[in-house]
Amino acid sequence: MNVEFIDDYDGLDSALSVLSNASEIGLDTEFESNRSGTTLSLVQISDGTHSYVIDALALRDLSPMESILDTDEIVWIVHAGRQDIELLAKATRGITPKRLFDTQVGWALCGPEYQVSLAYLVACLCDTRLPKSHQNDYWLKRPLSDEQIQYAADDVKYLHQ
């Protein structure tokens, strides 16, 4: 799956044009939390074929994303997505999903395990091990490495499966 890093509005418009045809989009975020609050750093989004890592620090105004987020036509797929949904709502006009599938909740409803990590779920269902080497990175530092961008993209790469 191709991964594109987006840090300008032309790139965002191009990505949104592709994603507007999707019936489902995988969503995740990277952020930093401290005493003064939570800062959104990245938005990862995928239609199952294309993956985009959007730099929320470079693109302070994420309102163009509302065109695909605020629709009945697209199902949001997340994993343990409560905080991701809250951050996206804050970055837009309070938009929350009209249709939602949370893979962690879906897994919990199918068996005795709940609150499993995405890495565990991907290992069980896709027979793939996700590296967690950047799990505790400081996501506000720029530039991001290619490995960090790939790590972030992996968080949405398998959500459709």
Side-chain angles (χ1 to χ4, degrees):
M1 181 179 305
N2 239 2
V3 176
E4 188 174 337
F5 181 69
I6 297 177
D7 61 357
D8 63 43
Y9 288 102
D10 288 339
L12 182 61
D13 288 344
S14 176
L16 295 175
S17 176
V18 171
L19 294 168
S20 67
N21 297 316
S23 59
E24 304 170 332
I25 53 172
L27 284 163
D28 190 47
T29 62
E30 301 299 336
F31 54 88
E32 289 295 328
S33 296
N34 57 39
R35 287 184 173 177
S36 61
T38 302
T39 303
L40 180 62
S41 175
L42 298 174
V43 177
Q44 302 97 276
I45 190 165
S46 174
D47 65 1
T49 304
H50 309 90
S51 288
Y52 303 96
V53 176
I54 300 166
D55 189 343
L57 298 179
L59 304 176
R60 295 275 181 200
D61 177 15
L62 295 180
S63 63
M65 293 184 66
E66 294 171 6
S67 64
I68 61 162
L69 296 179
D70 193 21
T71 175
D72 295 332
E73 307 304 315
I74 297 176
V75 176
W76 296 22
I77 306 171
V78 297
H79 183 84
R82 183 172 154 235
Q83 192 158 28
D84 302 314
I85 292 168
E86 289 172 0
L87 286 168
L88 287 168
K90 230 171 131 176
T92 58
R93 292 177 293 117
I95 291 173
T96 56
K98 308 276 192 277
R99 298 170 59 202
L100 174 72
F101 182 79
D102 190 312
T103 58
Q104 186 182 66
V105 173
W107 183 261
L109 291 172
C110 292
E113 298 172 307
Y114 62 97
Q115 292 188 336
V116 297
S117 70
L118 178 62
Y120 175 80
L121 200 58
V122 169
C124 288
L125 298 177
C126 303
D127 198 29
T128 300
R129 293 225 176 264
L130 293 179
K132 296 317 257 176
S133 54
H134 295 285
Q135 187 171 11
N136 295 314
D137 281 7
Y138 181 65
W139 290 102
L140 301 181
K141 183 180 178 192
R142 296 295 185 270
L144 296 171
S145 69
D146 291 342
E147 292 82 18
Q148 286 176 304
I149 293 168
Q150 186 60 55
Y151 168 86
D154 282 348
D155 284 346
V156 294
K157 180 178 182 178
Y158 297 94
L159 287 176
H160 288 80
Q161 295 176 36

